[in-house]
């Protein structure tokens, strides 16, 4: 397979400013894509398979799922050329970028619960941070284990509600082979690194990203030497760029803190919606950590290449949610704006997922579990408890493959950690389509700057990518808002948030249709 240097031949636009049966013949990765295309065109994919199902290859692919903590989609080089992430750009050139990847409940624990369960927060029992994932369905790692995968988890877990940072084996949901993890802590330079399979504490001897990358490489080496015939499912959950932003790697080669802090002195290098709330030092520290993640990711991707298993491995890079980082004067997450909910999503699956492609697919946290199982050709193993949608065929670029036209977003209960000095945090539910964001803050809540709007926001993310104009109360938006309001009401019911009290639909200057 052709390997390209970062950016060469990359036709991706920057957006910063705006079991098969025993008798089945062997199938390679490239055969899978051909079957998908033929099936979509003629409806003749495989007997008893739908158009949206990826055929199972004879040899199951490995899966390396990497996600950072609190990295918004505008915090990597493709969507902000200021931030240097060359290895992620190279991965993008070799795979597909999903620009409409959405963290539906943008806070750590609910995202992780959705990843592992394919269930909405009210179903999984994880609505805010530090809640335990309920035992009311098969979890992703439990399914992959039954399918013959060797499971491993490295990094932050945050779905066991453990009183400390060690997680008992009974709460690891099938990660029995390799466990170098912790419940939730954000010390990057010193202290405890993780707890191992026997819950023994291991200390940090290097900056966290690189020590974890060493452990990922050790897992890959062991796979190649001792388990090459068995596929692996490895999750690497990084802590940065989650605050504290001052705990960046102090000896990181450029681009480092000094580099980014100097650039940010020029207002032209700041996001158009930046309004304080986070200091420029914090922004520079955040950018530094994003570049540091990229360096550690490069170490792992290089090892996949060196071991000759890159073509047999699905690699996903994403994040659990974003960070307002001073946009509109706000900080952290748990907000309906793009900085909080829109996350990077890059996937490489050589010969199956198209290379060098940017997709506008609407991909929610709830869809990750079924989509990953679909990508490995095991859609039939998706548990009935899963509420998400298998979007694997759409990721593979199959014409006419099923897609979503809208996603529910929401933080129905606000964690105290989101309290802000500039503006109070507020519980919200909303709808995110490919073009629009419509959200309502909970009835009785006044959000500074939005109180006159009745607690609603409506943004056109195509014409106004920085969401600088709230279209609520704007002439010409009546029908759009009425439609999205009805979608929100229906989605709240579907996801178990029917008790979330929407404010009365704002009626100003007679513009809005009253609720039915």
């Amino acid at each position: 397979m052709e390997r390209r240097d970062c950016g060469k031949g990359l036709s991706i636009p920057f957006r910063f400013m705006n079991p098969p049966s025993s008798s089945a013949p062997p199938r390679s990765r490239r055969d899978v894509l051909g079957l998908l295309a033929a099936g979509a065109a003629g409806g003749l994919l495989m007997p008893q398979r739908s158009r949206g199902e990826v055929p199972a290859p004879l040899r199951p692919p490995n899966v390396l799922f990497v996600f950072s903590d609190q990295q918004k989609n505008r915090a990597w080089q493709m969507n902000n050329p200021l931030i240097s992430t060359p290895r992620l750009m190279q991965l993008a050139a070799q795979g597909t970028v999903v620009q409409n990847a959405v963290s539906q409940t943008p806070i750590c624990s609910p995202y992780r619960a959705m990843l592992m369960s394919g269930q909405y927060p009210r179903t999984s029992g994880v609505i805010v941070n530090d809640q335990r994932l309920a035992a009311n369905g098969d979890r992703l790692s439990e399914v992959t284990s039954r399918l013959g995968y060797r499971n491993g988890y490295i990094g932050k877990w945050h779905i066991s509600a453990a009183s400390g940072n060690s997680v008992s084996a009974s709460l690891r949901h099938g990660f029995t082979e390799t466990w170098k993890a912790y419940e939730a802590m954000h010390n990057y330079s010193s202290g405890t690194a993780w707890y191992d399979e026997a819950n023994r504490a291991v200390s940090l001897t290097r900056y966290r990203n690189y020590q974890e990358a060493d452990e990922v490489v050790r897992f890959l080496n062991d796979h190649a030497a001792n388990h090459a015939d068995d596929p692996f499912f490895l999750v690497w959950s990084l802590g940065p760029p989650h605050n504290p932003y001052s705990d960046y790697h102090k000896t990181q080669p450029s681009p480092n803190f000094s580099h980014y802090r100097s650039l940010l002195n020029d207002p032209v290098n700041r996001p158009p919606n930046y309004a304080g709330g986070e200091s420029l030092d914090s922004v520079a520290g955040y950018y530094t950590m994003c570049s540091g993640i990229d360096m550690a990711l490069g170490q792992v991707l290089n090892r996949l290449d060196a071991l000759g298993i890159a073509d047999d491995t699905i690699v996903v890079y994403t994040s659990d949610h974003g960070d307002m980082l001073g946009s509109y004067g706000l900080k952290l997450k748990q907000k309906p704006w793009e900085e909080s909910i829109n996350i990077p999503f890059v996937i490489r699956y050589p010969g199956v997922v198209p290379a060098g492609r940017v997709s506008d697919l609407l991909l929610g946290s709830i869809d990750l579990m079924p989509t990953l199982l679909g990508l490995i050709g095991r859609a039939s193993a998706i548990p009935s408890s899963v509420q998400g949608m298998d979007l694997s065929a759409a990721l593979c670029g199959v014409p006419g493959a099923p897609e979503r036209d809208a996603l529910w977003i929401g933080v129905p209960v606000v964690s105290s950690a989101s309290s802000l000095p500039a503006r109070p945090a507020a519980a919200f539910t909303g709808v995110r389509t490919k073009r629009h964001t419509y959200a309502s803050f909970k009835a009785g809540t006044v959000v500074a700057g939005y109180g006159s709007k009745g607690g609603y926001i409506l943004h056109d993310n195509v014409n106004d990518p920085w969401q600088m104009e709230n279209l609520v109360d704007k002439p010409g938006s009546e029908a759009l808002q009425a439609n999205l309001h009805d979608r929100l009401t229906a989605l709240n019911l579907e996801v178990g948030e029917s008790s979330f009290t929407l404010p009365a639909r704002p009626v100003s200057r007679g513009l809005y249709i009253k609720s039915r």
Side-chain angles (χ1 to χ4, degrees):
M1 180 179 178
E2 180 186 1
R3 300 291 181 187
R4 289 180 285 179
D5 293 334
C6 174
K8 292 183 179 180
L10 184 63
S11 58
I12 299 177
F14 287 107
R15 202 184 64 155
F16 178 57
M17 294 305 296
N18 296 316
S21 66
S22 58
S23 61
R27 290 195 292 271
S28 69
R29 307 286 189 267
R30 289 160 182 81
D31 292 336
V32 170
L33 193 59
L35 282 169
L36 280 167
L44 297 173
L45 198 55
M46 292 290 286
Q48 299 179 339
R49 289 186 185 273
S50 70
R51 181 176 61 185
E53 186 174 338
V54 177
L58 185 65
R59 181 183 178 87
N62 306 310
V63 179
L64 173 60
F65 190 94
V66 184
F67 69 109
S68 59
D69 193 335
Q70 209 161 291
Q71 183 177 7
K72 57 186 173 181
N73 197 25
R74 287 181 173 128
W76 65 293
Q77 190 172 337
M78 180 178 172
N79 296 323
N80 183 345
L82 197 71
I83 304 175
S84 177
T85 57
R87 290 314 308 269
L88 193 51
M89 287 295 288
Q90 184 177 35
L91 191 69
Q94 297 166 346
T96 288
V97 176
V98 178
Q99 289 284 38
N100 285 319
V102 174
S103 178
Q104 291 173 267
T105 299
I107 181 172
C108 300
S109 296
Y111 172 91
R112 295 157 194 271
M114 284 195 239
L115 167 64
M116 289 297 161
S117 70
Q119 296 173 332
Y120 288 106
R122 291 289 179 188
T123 305
S124 73
V126 182
I127 304 165
V128 297
N129 272 345
D130 305 316
Q131 293 184 311
R132 180 171 297 174
L133 179 59
N136 60 354
D138 290 332
R139 304 318 181 200
L140 176 57
S141 43
E142 294 165 347
V143 176
T144 56
S145 181
R146 286 201 302 269
L147 292 173
Y149 277 75
R150 295 178 57 247
N151 290 337
Y153 199 99
I154 296 171
K156 180 179 174 181
W157 182 239
H158 211 181
I159 48 174
S160 74
S163 57
N165 274 298
S166 62
V167 178
S168 67
S170 63
L171 298 176
R172 299 175 189 171
H173 295 287
F175 285 105
T176 57
E177 293 283 343
T178 295
W179 180 266
K180 316 291 182 187
Y182 54 93
E183 179 65 4
M185 53 187 177
H186 288 283
N187 57 307
Y188 305 141
S189 300
S190 62
T192 300
W194 59 72
Y195 294 81
D196 66 12
E197 295 81 2
N199 263 336
R200 295 169 296 205
V202 176
S203 297
L204 283 170
T205 57
R206 303 181 64 191
Y207 191 75
R208 179 174 292 282
N209 292 350
Y210 309 117
Q211 189 163 336
E212 289 180 355
D214 290 344
E215 204 60 40
V216 175
V217 167
R218 186 173 292 110
F219 178 97
L220 297 176
N221 289 340
D222 179 64
H223 166 80
N226 302 308
H227 307 281
D229 291 335
D230 301 318
F232 65 76
F233 172 56
L234 178 62
V235 177
W236 180 17
S237 171
L238 291 132
H242 190 291
N243 51 302
Y245 311 114
S246 59
D247 197 6
Y248 54 84
H249 187 206
K250 299 304 189 291
T251 59
Q252 179 172 306
S254 189
N256 51 26
F257 177 83
S258 297
H259 168 82
Y260 287 121
R261 187 62 184 85
S262 177
L263 288 173
L264 289 167
N265 283 330
D266 187 340
V268 76
N269 289 326
R270 303 170 195 168
N273 58 8
Y274 176 77
E278 285 288 7
S279 70
L280 292 177
D281 282 356
S282 292
V283 177
Y286 181 90
Y287 288 1
T288 303
M289 286 195 278
C290 290
S291 289
I293 289 169
D294 193 75
M295 296 175 190
L297 177 66
Q299 179 183 340
V300 170
L301 295 178
N302 287 344
R303 196 57 190 160
L304 282 172
D305 287 338
L307 292 171
I309 57 175
D311 284 352
D312 299 315
T313 303
I314 298 171
V315 178
V316 172
Y317 183 88
T318 186
S319 192
D320 59 354
H321 53 75
D323 191 328
M324 298 303 293
L325 205 67
S327 294
Y328 325 118
L330 297 171
K331 60 176 70 176
L332 304 178
K333 56 271 189 178
Q334 301 189 71
K335 315 291 188 297
W337 292 282
E338 288 295 274
E339 274 73 22
S340 175
I341 68 170
N342 187 213
I343 51 177
F345 190 93
V346 183
I347 180 168
R348 183 182 72 185
Y349 186 5
V352 178
V353 171
R357 171 175 172 253
V358 176
S359 171
D360 67 351
L361 179 70
L362 201 56
L363 176 66
S365 322
I366 199 75
D367 303 320
L368 294 173
M369 176 179 177
T371 298
L372 287 171
L373 292 174
L375 279 170
I376 66 173
R378 295 298 187 269
S380 60
I382 298 172
S384 60
S385 58
V386 166
Q387 296 173 292
M389 184 174 177
D390 175 10
L391 298 171
S392 56
L395 273 179
C396 292
V398 178
E403 292 192 29
R404 287 188 179 277
D405 65 350
L407 278 169
W408 175 87
I409 57 173
V411 179
V413 178
V414 175
S415 168
S416 60
S418 71
S419 299
L420 303 174
R423 295 178 182 171
F428 75 90
T429 60
V431 180
R432 172 62 156 77
T433 71
K434 289 184 178 181
R435 179 164 184 166
H436 295 102
T437 299
Y438 177 74
S440 167
F441 298 101
K442 196 164 188 176
T445 303
V446 176
V447 180
Y450 290 89
S452 63
K453 312 293 187 181
Y456 288 85
I457 61 167
L458 173 58
H459 294 291
D460 183 332
N461 303 322
V462 174
N463 291 327
D464 179 25
W466 292 97
Q467 299 180 316
M468 304 290 279
E469 182 181 19
N470 186 359
L471 296 178
V472 170
D473 264 356
K474 297 293 182 180
S477 298
E478 305 92 336
L480 173 63
Q481 179 164 337
N483 175 269
L484 291 173
H485 191 91
D486 289 343
R487 293 298 300 273
L488 174 55
T489 301
L491 284 170
N492 276 346
L493 181 64
E494 178 184 329
V495 307
E497 295 297 340
S498 59
S499 63
F500 187 94
T501 306
L502 296 174
R505 183 174 287 172
V507 179
S508 176
R509 300 192 303 274
L511 294 177
Y512 295 103
I513 302 169
K514 292 182 180 180
S515 299
R516 294 180 178 88

